[in-house]
Amino acid sequence: MDSVEFSRYLTMLTLSVHVIFATLGVGVPIMITIAHWLGLKNQDEHYLLLAKRWARGYVITVAVGVVTGTAIALQLALLWPRFMEFAGQLVALPLFMETFAFFFEAIFLGIYLYTWDRFKNPKRHFYLLAPVVLGSAMSALFITSVNAFMNTPQGFTLVDGQLTNIQPLVAMFNPAMPTKVAHVLTSAYMTTAFVLASIAAYHLLKGNRHEYHRKALALTMKIALIFSIATALVGDLSGKFLAEYQPEKLAAAEWHFETEGEAPLVLYGVLTETNEVKYAIRIPYALSMLVHSNPFGVVTGLNDIPEEYHPPLVVHYFFDIMVTIGIWLTVLSLFYWLALSRGWAVIKTRLFRILLVASGPLAMIAIEAGWWFTEVGRQPWIMRGFMTTAEGATDSPYVWVMFIAFAILYIILMIGTAVVLTRMFKKNPVERELEKLADEQRSVAK
Amino acid sequence: MTIEVIGISVLWLFLFGYVIVASIDFGAGFFNASTIVTKKHHIVNTVIQRYLSPVWEITNVFLVFFFVGMIGFFPQTAYYFGTVLLIPISISIILLALRGSYYAFGTYGTKGHVGYTLMYGVTGVLIPASLTTALIVSQGGFIRETASGRIELDYVALFTSPFAWSIVVLSLVSVLFISASFLAYYSSVAQDKKALKLFKKYTWIWSFPTIVTALGIIIEMRWHNPAHFEGLVSLWWLFALSFICFLISLWLLKTRNYGWSFIFVVLQFALAFYAYGVSRYPYLLYPHLTIYDSFTNETMAYALITVFILGLMLLIPSLYLVFKLFIMNKPYIQSGK
């Protein structure tokens, strides 16, 4: 293997680790805000404690998110020096703004964490969350616009290898940006809600009947349902976007070879050596419907795209994983909501709780699959139409050494995070914290 | 003033900000760990913990600002530095990652774990050393062009160069000097007499090695890069001013004006840092890159400067709030509330 492949693997590794923490980084602030607001509004100490405990765990994931984010930012220049040299002239603006947005978020998160009892008016402390939520969403927006630019570059003219007529804002607001940013935000909120729901469901599954966990589960599942639907709607728009601007990516995801109308949606299956699709589920007209909202709409197939620009066909599976999990989780949260509002006992069964516990990890797998789909699906390009991944990569022969070093680092970080988070919450269970709060209030009353 | 000069001045400011904030942070980690070994940990622990907790993320952001800005204003640096610094900067990232995350683990997770504290101390001295490689390489003489036209780092030249090692030593001693000076001030605000006494001692210990190595590097530059040496000499008065600030800071330390003493340490470093920066004008990387031939297009440059000004308008009030709540807040420093 050469340095190009190792650069790709190392980037994939860093991104795959970072995206876990980035997703939580975008999602958790909004959950804390909702819980904190409910707590203040209803004078409910359970919700306040929920906000407090989520915030405490959040700091750990933010810390790992910061360091893996620094890693990916530096690796862009270390592994893709030619690409950064070229693209730096076009997308430095959102990269720079992302740093500001994150800084803004980090400052206020720090203040929020350390000032739980420092303000006389508790609402003031609550308002500190606004910059945290805003900062995290903005940093997701800016960084996603860079990724969108790699898919649909614009805002410049290339004449004899020279960049002219550069318009940074046009580059930033490229065609891929709106759907991508919306998809990243909604799916991050959705995934975070499921991850937090998993935790609550786990406690209930373990036989803990505390009101706190029931409230946590009901709240997070409702939020999860809202954002699952939002994610599905945005996902549909993303499909329509792909058909128009990156038909090869959609065609590869769908194993769609012939350009034709009445195109079926292909799910699962395997591909033979002669590119025949076997054992797949075909939903007639569905792909045409998805793309054109019309069963007869013509969808471009891979055979109309030069072979050297075909993305790897494995992206079909990434796409399937993402969509399947997305649909499953929407159904699960919808069912939970129906059952809760009608008092069906089925959601209290052991089996259903196991399904709920699985929802968080599943959502995270969908996030990973989604990123693999979009990144592998852009191949062979690093900047579609202008620079291939091979042209952008470093020629240093030592990338493999760094791959091993970073793999070890990430293993240490992941294990460390898991151990610290479990220990942190096991040592200080909800019941004990609530008792402590009650004691304090009693002593104040005296 | 050309736009290239404005760009590099902004970046130089970020880098200086990082040098000061990170030095305090790295040094604090080092003292925190080394006092465990010397059994004086109980003296410094409270002061260090209370300072570090709310600001650890902010330090990292200065670094990210610097290199994102560098690639923004001077995209060609991405190619040169990115290609040759793969290994040294990757090592820095790994150390920064371990440091940042294990600090969070140690502080918010399992308090007072000795392993975390030691790791935090060791990385505090290794990171400055590995990050300094970028600066050393930029002085020229360590990049080799291969027959196929690739560029690569000449590790043998790097590791056998006394000049390179002197810069590493300077980075280490100045980290300890800046940090001790700040922590002395911080303990004086906290009215922690024992910690103050100790950090005062550390400031004295690390002050003279800083000056001696800095002077040594200027002299070595004569052989390493004569053109740059002449640049340094022509700015002798700035270095002289820096030295005067150094003397004033020590005098203020002796007369127990710890806050002013630290301010003069910062001034000393600011003068030397800017004099050094001006003396290497216009080179970013001897002799391959200058700020002119690596500069981005004008549209992007103006966009970046606009964002920079808007961003500062947002950040300065926020940082002021942090400053007011934690760093300059006497009740907080004294009791942690």
Side-chain angles (χ1 to χ4, degrees), chain A residues 391-428:
Chain A
E391 288 165 348
T394 181
D395 43 22
S396 165
Y398 305 113
V399 184
W400 67 275
V401 188
M402 294 300 113
F403 179 85
I404 296 170
F406 276 99
I408 296 169
L409 170 74
Y410 297 141
I411 292 171
I412 295 174
L413 289 188
M414 301 287 269
I415 295 176
T417 311
V419 169
V420 167
L421 281 178
T422 17
R423 216 182 273 168
M424 199 163 125
F425 289 110
K426 265 202 178 149
K427 262 192 183 171
N428 193 8

Side-chain angles (χ1 to χ4, degrees), chain A residues 59-60 62-64 66-67 70-71 73-74 77-79 81-82 84-85 89-93 95-97 99-100 102-104 106-108 111 114 118 166 168 395-399 402 405-406 409 412-413 416-417 420 423-424 427, chain B residues 53 56-58 60-61 64-65 67-68 71-72 75-76 78-79 82-83 85-87 89-90 93-94 96-98 101-102 104-105 108-110 116 150 296-297 299-300 303-304 307-308 311-312 314-315 318-319 321-322 325-326 329:
Chain A
V59 188
I60 302 285
V62 166
V64 184
V66 169
V67 297
T70 310
L74 277 161
L78 295 174
L79 300 175
R82 285 282 184 209
M84 280 314 277
E85 184 186 12
Q89 303 174 60
L90 308 167
V91 286
L93 185 68
L95 279 174
F96 201 50
M97 291 202 274
T99 325
F100 272 106
F102 175 74
F103 203 178
F104 190 57
I107 289 173
F108 280 92
I111 300 178
Y114 282 91
R118 269 176 80 175
I166 293 168
D395 43 22
S396 165
Y398 305 113
V399 184
M402 294 300 113
F406 276 99
L409 170 74
I412 295 174
L413 289 188
T417 311
V420 167
R423 216 182 273 168
M424 199 163 125
K427 262 192 183 171
Chain B
S53 309
W56 67 271
E57 307 162 278
I58 296 176
N60 219 35
V61 181
V64 179
F65 259 128
F67 78 77
V68 169
I71 291 170
Q76 273 196 14
Y79 172 66
T83 306
L85 293 177
L86 173 69
I87 294 179
I89 296 297
S90 291
I93 304 172
I94 292 174
L96 279 170
L98 288 175
S101 50
Y102 275 79
F105 293 168
Y108 306 109
T110 42
Y116 295 159
R150 295 198 313 112
T296 187
N297 54 88
T299 330
M300 183 57 85
L304 289 177
V307 165
F308 175 68
L312 280 190
L314 199 68
L315 288 185
S318 325
L319 280 175
L321 194 61
V322 174
L325 283 172
F326 301 110
N329 186 314

